[in-house]
Amino acid sequence: MHTFEYVRATDTREVVQLLADDPAAACLAGGTTQLDMMKDGVLEPPTLIDITRLPLHGIERRGEILHVGALVTMEELAADATVAERLPMVRESLLQGASVQLRNMATIGGNLLQRTRCRYFRDPTVSACNKRTPDSGCAAVEGVARMHAVLGASERCIALHASDLAVALVALDAAVHVQGPSHSRTVPLTEFYLTAAESPQRENVLEHAELITEVEIPLPPAAARSGYLKVRDRTSYEFALTSAAVLLVVDHATIRQARVGLGGVGTKPWRAYEAEHVLTGAPATTATFLDAADATMRDAWTVPGTAFKVPLARRTLVRELQNVSGVDV
C-alpha cells in the first residue's frame, strides 16, 4: 500500500471542504471496501479523511419515514425494532449481505457506495478496463464473467454492483441526503446510480466534494409483506449470483401494490419496473409471477459466462414472489 496523509475529521462541513480542496482525497468510514482497494493498488488517495467521528450515527423514525445516519453500521440497522417490524426485506438483505464481523464495521453509507467486485477492475495489471481507464476496453466481456451483470450491461462494461442492501432500498424508493461545500440535496436511490452502459467510469451521481449524510427509508403500508431471497454458491458469506427484494400488498388474491428489486444481475441495484407493471392489479398466481419475471429479463445482455443468470434470475424472482405472497410452489 502506498503512503498517504491521515486526517481525522469531526465536522461534516470540514470534510466536504477538505474534499473540495483536494480532488484526489478519499473518505474512510468502516473501511471494508476502501482499504481492500488501496491494498490492491486500485485506489491511491494522497489523503484519507477519517469520518467515523462525524455525528451521523442515529436511527430515528419520524412518522412513516425511517431516517438512518450514514455512519450507522449494518448490524445496528438490522437490529432496529422498526426495521424488524416493518422492513423485513431490509433486515434480511443486511443479514445476508456480510458476516457478523463485517456488519459491525461496515456503514450504511459505505455499503451504498461500495465499488464493484469485478476481478478485472480490481487487478491493476489488467489494462482493458473502461471503469478504471475510459476507452481501454472490457476484459470481462472476453474473459471469465460468471460473477458479472446482465442488466444495464453492454460491450463497454459488465461489472456487477455487489450491494444487497441497495437492492432492497431501491425497491422501497429510499433516498439519500447529500451535503456539498455550499449546498445540500436529496437524491432518490432510483436516480442515484448509473448503469455501466451509461458511464463505466462513474457509478453514481455523487460529486467528489459531496458526502452522504443520511438515508431516508419510507415505511411500507402495514398490510405489506416483504422478503429478500439471495442465491449464492455457498450459504455462508458470499456475493449473490442472483437476488430478489419483493414487497407486495395482496387483497383478496389480487396484488394491489408491488415493489421489486433485483441483485446479482445489474450494473446497478436494479428496480424491476417491468415486473411491477405486470404484477399490479393482477391475480397473485404463479402464472402472473412467471410473466413478471419474463418481462424483467427480456432485455438482458449476456456473454457466454453470464447467460445462466437469465433463467436463474427468473426462478429467483418467481420463488420470492411465491414466498412473500404465500402462493404454493
Side-chain angles (χ1 to χ4, degrees):
M1 187 187 296
H2 75 291
T3 58
F4 57 88
E5 180 184 3
Y6 171 82
V7 178
R8 177 176 288 177
T10 58
D11 180 77
T12 302
R13 292 193 177 277
E14 174 192 3
V15 173
V16 295
Q17 192 57 56
L18 287 169
L19 291 171
D21 293 341
D22 185 350
C27 291
L28 174 69
T32 55
T33 293
Q34 179 75 35
L35 293 180
D36 281 348
M37 298 186 68
M38 290 173 66
K39 291 175 182 177
D40 290 339
V42 178
L43 298 179
E44 296 185 338
T47 303
L48 202 57
I49 306 167
D50 184 341
I51 63 172
T52 56
R53 301 300 192 275
L54 299 186
L56 306 174
H57 290 270
I59 303 174
E60 182 182 357
R61 178 176 174 177
R62 302 174 203 160
E64 291 301 287
I65 295 178
L66 192 66
H67 296 261
V68 182
L71 293 177
V72 169
T73 67
M74 294 174 67
E75 187 68 14
E76 289 170 337
L77 186 58
D80 182 78
T82 300
V83 172
E85 178 186 359
R86 299 286 296 276
L87 299 168
M89 76 178 181
V90 170
R91 185 172 190 274
E92 291 165 14
S93 72
L94 287 162
L95 295 179
Q96 296 179 54
S99 65
V100 176
Q101 293 90 337
L102 286 175
R103 293 201 305 269
N104 276 296
M105 293 180 61
T107 64
I108 300 306
N111 184 278
L112 298 182
L113 291 174
Q114 67 178 285
R115 305 298 300 276
T116 181
R117 299 287 165 169
C118 173
R119 65 175 70 185
Y120 305 102
F121 170 69
R122 288 176 175 255
D123 184 352
T125 66
V126 175
S127 58
C129 177
N130 286 325
K131 191 172 285 294
R132 270 191 287 104
T133 309
D135 301 319
S136 63
C138 178
V141 170
E142 299 295 334
V144 179
R146 187 169 181 270
M147 298 299 293
H148 287 71
V150 299
L151 296 175
S154 73
E155 67 281 352
R156 299 180 66 200
C157 183
I158 58 173
L160 180 73
H161 194 282
S163 173
D164 292 286
L165 173 63
V167 174
L169 293 185
V170 163
L172 288 167
D173 289 321
V176 290
H177 294 189
V178 174
Q179 180 66 54
S182 58
H183 67 279
S184 61
R185 59 182 178 136
T186 300
V187 185
L189 279 185
T190 52
E191 300 173 13
F192 182 75
Y193 294 102
L194 302 173
T195 67
E198 294 175 273
S199 174
Q201 72 277 14
R202 188 176 182 188
E203 297 166 355
N204 56 65
V205 300
L206 198 69
E207 300 294 341
H208 172 72
E210 290 185 321
L211 183 71
I212 292 178
T213 58
E214 183 180 284
V215 182
E216 185 179 288
I217 311 174
L219 298 177
R225 297 181 61 185
S226 72
Y228 184 76
L229 177 61
K230 181 176 181 177
V231 177
R232 44 193 165 174
D233 285 325
R234 56 182 182 176
T235 54
S236 60
Y237 172 47
E238 183 60 276
F239 295 102
L241 291 172
T242 60
S243 68
V246 170
L247 181 145
L248 297 176
V249 175
V250 180
D251 180 30
H252 294 90
T254 297
I255 301 168
R256 301 303 180 190
Q257 183 177 354
R259 297 288 182 270
V260 179
L262 298 179
V265 292
T267 59
K268 65 177 183 178
W270 202 262
R271 179 70 177 267
Y273 289 111
E274 298 87 353
E276 295 175 6
H277 178 74
V278 171
L279 293 166
T280 303
T285 63
T286 295
T288 297
F289 303 158
L290 287 167
D291 288 343
D294 287 342
T296 299
M297 302 307 296
R298 186 171 294 128
D299 295 326
W301 194 94
T302 67
V303 297
T306 61
F308 80 97
K309 285 198 169 188
V310 176
L312 182 60
R314 288 194 189 106
R315 292 196 296 271
T316 302
L317 177 53
V318 170
R319 174 58 62 87
E320 190 58 6
L321 286 166
Q322 292 171 330
N323 292 340
V324 172
S325 67
V327 172
D328 292 336
V329 178

mmCIF file of all heavy atoms in Angstrom, residues 14-44:
data_model
loop_
_atom_site.group_PDB
_atom_site.id
_atom_site.type_symbol
_atom_site.label_atom_id
_atom_site.label_comp_id
_atom_site.label_asym_id
_atom_site.label_seq_id
_atom_site.Cartn_x
_atom_site.Cartn_y
_atom_site.Cartn_z
ATOM 1 N N GLU A 14 -16.394 20.396 7.407
ATOM 2 C CA GLU A 14 -14.935 20.289 7.302
ATOM 3 C C GLU A 14 -14.559 19.213 6.280
ATOM 4 O O GLU A 14 -13.642 19.399 5.475
ATOM 5 C CB GLU A 14 -14.339 19.938 8.666
ATOM 6 C CG GLU A 14 -12.832 19.671 8.637
ATOM 7 C CD GLU A 14 -12.324 19.059 9.930
ATOM 8 O OE1 GLU A 14 -13.135 18.782 10.843
ATOM 9 O OE2 GLU A 14 -11.101 18.850 10.012
ATOM 10 N N VAL A 15 -15.282 18.103 6.302
ATOM 11 C CA VAL A 15 -14.989 17.008 5.382
ATOM 12 C C VAL A 15 -15.206 17.431 3.932
ATOM 13 O O VAL A 15 -14.347 17.222 3.075
ATOM 14 C CB VAL A 15 -15.852 15.771 5.708
ATOM 15 C CG1 VAL A 15 -15.678 14.695 4.635
ATOM 16 C CG2 VAL A 15 -15.472 15.213 7.061
ATOM 17 N N VAL A 16 -16.369 18.017 3.651
ATOM 18 C CA VAL A 16 -16.651 18.379 2.264
ATOM 19 C C VAL A 16 -15.691 19.462 1.771
ATOM 20 O O VAL A 16 -15.336 19.505 0.590
ATOM 21 C CB VAL A 16 -18.124 18.802 2.080
ATOM 22 C CG1 VAL A 16 -19.051 17.627 2.345
ATOM 23 C CG2 VAL A 16 -18.501 19.974 2.951
ATOM 24 N N GLN A 17 -15.227 20.337 2.666
ATOM 25 C CA GLN A 17 -14.255 21.353 2.257
ATOM 26 C C GLN A 17 -12.897 20.713 1.972
ATOM 27 O O GLN A 17 -12.213 21.088 1.013
ATOM 28 C CB GLN A 17 -14.105 22.419 3.336
ATOM 29 C CG GLN A 17 -13.327 23.652 2.855
ATOM 30 C CD GLN A 17 -13.951 24.297 1.634
ATOM 31 O OE1 GLN A 17 -15.133 24.671 1.651
ATOM 32 N NE2 GLN A 17 -13.186 24.432 0.545
ATOM 33 N N LEU A 18 -12.516 19.753 2.791
ATOM 34 C CA LEU A 18 -11.266 19.028 2.532
ATOM 35 C C LEU A 18 -11.327 18.306 1.188
ATOM 36 O O LEU A 18 -10.343 18.295 0.428
ATOM 37 C CB LEU A 18 -11.001 18.023 3.658
ATOM 38 C CG LEU A 18 -10.548 18.592 4.999
ATOM 39 C CD1 LEU A 18 -10.602 17.512 6.074
ATOM 40 C CD2 LEU A 18 -9.134 19.167 4.885
ATOM 41 N N LEU A 19 -12.461 17.729 0.896
ATOM 42 C CA LEU A 19 -12.625 17.056 -0.394
ATOM 43 C C LEU A 19 -12.585 18.052 -1.542
ATOM 44 O O LEU A 19 -11.999 17.791 -2.596
ATOM 45 C CB LEU A 19 -13.951 16.287 -0.413
ATOM 46 C CG LEU A 19 -14.040 15.062 0.493
ATOM 47 C CD1 LEU A 19 -15.483 14.544 0.532
ATOM 48 C CD2 LEU A 19 -13.102 13.957 0.016
ATOM 49 N N ALA A 20 -13.214 19.199 -1.346
ATOM 50 C CA ALA A 20 -13.216 20.226 -2.384
ATOM 51 C C ALA A 20 -11.806 20.749 -2.652
ATOM 52 O O ALA A 20 -11.450 21.052 -3.797
ATOM 53 C CB ALA A 20 -14.137 21.375 -1.985
ATOM 54 N N ASP A 21 -10.995 20.835 -1.602
ATOM 55 C CA ASP A 21 -9.640 21.360 -1.744
ATOM 56 C C ASP A 21 -8.674 20.353 -2.352
ATOM 57 O O ASP A 21 -7.617 20.739 -2.871
ATOM 58 C CB ASP A 21 -9.102 21.802 -0.373
ATOM 59 C CG ASP A 21 -9.853 23.005 0.182
ATOM 60 O OD1 ASP A 21 -10.513 23.707 -0.608
ATOM 61 O OD2 ASP A 21 -9.780 23.230 1.410
ATOM 62 N N ASP A 22 -9.015 19.054 -2.274
ATOM 63 C CA ASP A 22 -8.113 18.016 -2.790
ATOM 64 C C ASP A 22 -8.916 17.041 -3.643
ATOM 65 O O ASP A 22 -9.566 16.134 -3.120
ATOM 66 C CB ASP A 22 -7.449 17.273 -1.630
ATOM 67 C CG ASP A 22 -6.408 16.262 -2.103
ATOM 68 O OD1 ASP A 22 -6.339 16.000 -3.323
ATOM 69 O OD2 ASP A 22 -5.671 15.734 -1.248
ATOM 70 N N PRO A 23 -8.884 17.177 -4.958
ATOM 71 C CA PRO A 23 -9.682 16.322 -5.848
ATOM 72 C C PRO A 23 -9.328 14.843 -5.762
ATOM 73 O O PRO A 23 -10.088 14.003 -6.248
ATOM 74 C CB PRO A 23 -9.369 16.876 -7.247
ATOM 75 C CG PRO A 23 -8.886 18.260 -7.011
ATOM 76 C CD PRO A 23 -8.163 18.223 -5.711
ATOM 77 N N ALA A 24 -8.202 14.499 -5.153
ATOM 78 C CA ALA A 24 -7.796 13.098 -5.060
ATOM 79 C C ALA A 24 -8.010 12.504 -3.668
ATOM 80 O O ALA A 24 -7.741 11.322 -3.450
ATOM 81 C CB ALA A 24 -6.327 12.952 -5.457
ATOM 82 N N ALA A 25 -8.480 13.300 -2.711
ATOM 83 C CA ALA A 25 -8.689 12.808 -1.347
ATOM 84 C C ALA A 25 -9.860 11.831 -1.313
ATOM 85 O O ALA A 25 -10.740 11.852 -2.175
ATOM 86 C CB ALA A 25 -8.943 13.967 -0.402
ATOM 87 N N ALA A 26 -9.872 10.970 -0.289
ATOM 88 C CA ALA A 26 -10.945 9.991 -0.130
ATOM 89 C C ALA A 26 -11.352 9.905 1.324
ATOM 90 O O ALA A 26 -10.591 10.276 2.224
ATOM 91 C CB ALA A 26 -10.494 8.624 -0.634
ATOM 92 N N CYS A 27 -12.570 9.405 1.572
ATOM 93 C CA CYS A 27 -13.080 9.256 2.932
ATOM 94 C C CYS A 27 -12.925 7.822 3.412
ATOM 95 O O CYS A 27 -12.959 6.880 2.625
ATOM 96 C CB CYS A 27 -14.553 9.656 2.988
ATOM 97 S SG CYS A 27 -14.845 11.417 2.738
ATOM 98 N N LEU A 28 -12.781 7.684 4.735
ATOM 99 C CA LEU A 28 -12.684 6.378 5.368
ATOM 100 C C LEU A 28 -13.744 6.279 6.453
ATOM 101 O O LEU A 28 -13.789 7.101 7.362
ATOM 102 C CB LEU A 28 -11.297 6.191 5.986
ATOM 103 C CG LEU A 28 -11.089 4.916 6.808
ATOM 104 C CD1 LEU A 28 -11.108 3.690 5.909
ATOM 105 C CD2 LEU A 28 -9.777 4.978 7.589
ATOM 106 N N ALA A 29 -14.608 5.258 6.352
ATOM 107 C CA ALA A 29 -15.602 5.003 7.413
ATOM 108 C C ALA A 29 -15.316 3.612 7.968
ATOM 109 O O ALA A 29 -14.359 3.407 8.689
ATOM 110 C CB ALA A 29 -17.008 5.132 6.853
ATOM 111 N N GLY A 30 -16.128 2.612 7.573
ATOM 112 C CA GLY A 30 -15.843 1.251 8.025
ATOM 113 C C GLY A 30 -14.591 0.675 7.400
ATOM 114 O O GLY A 30 -13.912 -0.168 7.977
ATOM 115 N N GLY A 31 -14.291 1.119 6.179
ATOM 116 C CA GLY A 31 -13.064 0.715 5.509
ATOM 117 C C GLY A 31 -13.106 -0.640 4.847
ATOM 118 O O GLY A 31 -12.092 -1.100 4.311
ATOM 119 N N THR A 32 -14.270 -1.309 4.847
ATOM 120 C CA THR A 32 -14.311 -2.674 4.339
ATOM 121 C C THR A 32 -14.125 -2.763 2.826
ATOM 122 O O THR A 32 -13.772 -3.821 2.312
ATOM 123 C CB THR A 32 -15.638 -3.357 4.722
ATOM 124 O OG1 THR A 32 -16.731 -2.555 4.254
ATOM 125 C CG2 THR A 32 -15.756 -3.502 6.231
ATOM 126 N N THR A 33 -14.375 -1.682 2.105
ATOM 127 C CA THR A 33 -14.088 -1.637 0.670
ATOM 128 C C THR A 33 -12.864 -0.770 0.383
ATOM 129 O O THR A 33 -11.977 -1.150 -0.370
ATOM 130 C CB THR A 33 -15.296 -1.093 -0.117
ATOM 131 O OG1 THR A 33 -16.358 -2.039 -0.030
ATOM 132 C CG2 THR A 33 -14.952 -0.900 -1.589
ATOM 133 N N GLN A 34 -12.826 0.400 0.998
ATOM 134 C CA GLN A 34 -11.757 1.363 0.728
ATOM 135 C C GLN A 34 -10.368 0.759 0.957
ATOM 136 O O GLN A 34 -9.484 0.861 0.098
ATOM 137 C CB GLN A 34 -11.934 2.580 1.629
ATOM 138 C CG GLN A 34 -10.874 3.660 1.463
ATOM 139 C CD GLN A 34 -11.064 4.458 0.193
ATOM 140 O OE1 GLN A 34 -12.178 4.703 -0.218
ATOM 141 N NE2 GLN A 34 -9.978 4.858 -0.428
ATOM 142 N N LEU A 35 -10.149 0.125 2.088
ATOM 143 C CA LEU A 35 -8.821 -0.408 2.401
ATOM 144 C C LEU A 35 -8.451 -1.566 1.485
ATOM 145 O O LEU A 35 -7.288 -1.701 1.089
ATOM 146 C CB LEU A 35 -8.757 -0.833 3.868
ATOM 147 C CG LEU A 35 -8.857 0.301 4.885
ATOM 148 C CD1 LEU A 35 -8.778 -0.239 6.302
ATOM 149 C CD2 LEU A 35 -7.749 1.328 4.660
ATOM 150 N N ASP A 36 -9.433 -2.409 1.136
ATOM 151 C CA ASP A 36 -9.156 -3.501 0.195
ATOM 152 C C ASP A 36 -8.638 -2.966 -1.129
ATOM 153 O O ASP A 36 -7.673 -3.484 -1.702
ATOM 154 C CB ASP A 36 -10.430 -4.320 -0.054
ATOM 155 C CG ASP A 36 -10.728 -5.290 1.068
ATOM 156 O OD1 ASP A 36 -9.841 -5.501 1.915
ATOM 157 O OD2 ASP A 36 -11.844 -5.838 1.092
ATOM 158 N N MET A 37 -9.275 -1.915 -1.622
ATOM 159 C CA MET A 37 -8.894 -1.379 -2.925
ATOM 160 C C MET A 37 -7.563 -0.642 -2.862
ATOM 161 O O MET A 37 -6.816 -0.604 -3.836
ATOM 162 C CB MET A 37 -10.009 -0.485 -3.460
ATOM 163 C CG MET A 37 -11.309 -1.240 -3.673
ATOM 164 S SD MET A 37 -12.587 -0.267 -4.462
ATOM 165 C CE MET A 37 -11.886 -0.076 -6.072
ATOM 166 N N MET A 38 -7.251 -0.065 -1.715
ATOM 167 C CA MET A 38 -5.936 0.556 -1.556
ATOM 168 C C MET A 38 -4.846 -0.513 -1.507
ATOM 169 O O MET A 38 -3.770 -0.349 -2.090
ATOM 170 C CB MET A 38 -5.926 1.418 -0.296
ATOM 171 C CG MET A 38 -6.785 2.670 -0.406
ATOM 172 S SD MET A 38 -6.952 3.604 1.145
ATOM 173 C CE MET A 38 -5.260 4.152 1.387
ATOM 174 N N LYS A 39 -5.124 -1.624 -0.846
ATOM 175 C CA LYS A 39 -4.166 -2.727 -0.809
ATOM 176 C C LYS A 39 -3.948 -3.320 -2.199
ATOM 177 O O LYS A 39 -2.842 -3.739 -2.542
ATOM 178 C CB LYS A 39 -4.641 -3.810 0.156
ATOM 179 C CG LYS A 39 -4.618 -3.402 1.617
ATOM 180 C CD LYS A 39 -5.227 -4.489 2.494
ATOM 181 C CE LYS A 39 -5.256 -4.072 3.950
ATOM 182 N NZ LYS A 39 -5.909 -5.090 4.814
ATOM 183 N N ASP A 40 -5.029 -3.369 -2.984
ATOM 184 C CA ASP A 40 -4.923 -3.900 -4.343
ATOM 185 C C ASP A 40 -4.210 -2.944 -5.298
ATOM 186 O O ASP A 40 -3.831 -3.331 -6.399
ATOM 187 C CB ASP A 40 -6.318 -4.196 -4.904
ATOM 188 C CG ASP A 40 -6.987 -5.381 -4.221
ATOM 189 O OD1 ASP A 40 -6.259 -6.201 -3.626
ATOM 190 O OD2 ASP A 40 -8.226 -5.483 -4.280
ATOM 191 N N GLY A 41 -4.056 -1.689 -4.877
ATOM 192 C CA GLY A 41 -3.424 -0.707 -5.747
ATOM 193 C C GLY A 41 -4.359 -0.081 -6.753
ATOM 194 O O GLY A 41 -3.927 0.625 -7.668
ATOM 195 N N VAL A 42 -5.667 -0.306 -6.588
ATOM 196 C CA VAL A 42 -6.654 0.286 -7.497
ATOM 197 C C VAL A 42 -6.893 1.746 -7.141
ATOM 198 O O VAL A 42 -7.040 2.598 -8.015
ATOM 199 C CB VAL A 42 -7.976 -0.503 -7.445
ATOM 200 C CG1 VAL A 42 -9.021 0.130 -8.352
ATOM 201 C CG2 VAL A 42 -7.736 -1.943 -7.845
ATOM 202 N N LEU A 43 -6.919 2.041 -5.843
ATOM 203 C CA LEU A 43 -7.078 3.413 -5.358
ATOM 204 C C LEU A 43 -5.810 3.817 -4.609
ATOM 205 O O LEU A 43 -5.291 3.045 -3.795
ATOM 206 C CB LEU A 43 -8.279 3.527 -4.433
ATOM 207 C CG LEU A 43 -9.653 3.205 -5.032
ATOM 208 C CD1 LEU A 43 -10.732 3.351 -3.968
ATOM 209 C CD2 LEU A 43 -9.954 4.085 -6.231
ATOM 210 N N GLU A 44 -5.355 5.033 -4.861
ATOM 211 C CA GLU A 44 -4.157 5.537 -4.180
ATOM 212 C C GLU A 44 -4.357 6.991 -3.767
ATOM 213 O O GLU A 44 -3.658 7.890 -4.234
ATOM 214 C CB GLU A 44 -2.936 5.398 -5.096
ATOM 215 C CG GLU A 44 -2.588 3.953 -5.430
ATOM 216 C CD GLU A 44 -1.304 3.832 -6.235
ATOM 217 O OE1 GLU A 44 -0.906 4.841 -6.882
ATOM 218 O OE2 GLU A 44 -0.696 2.744 -6.231
#
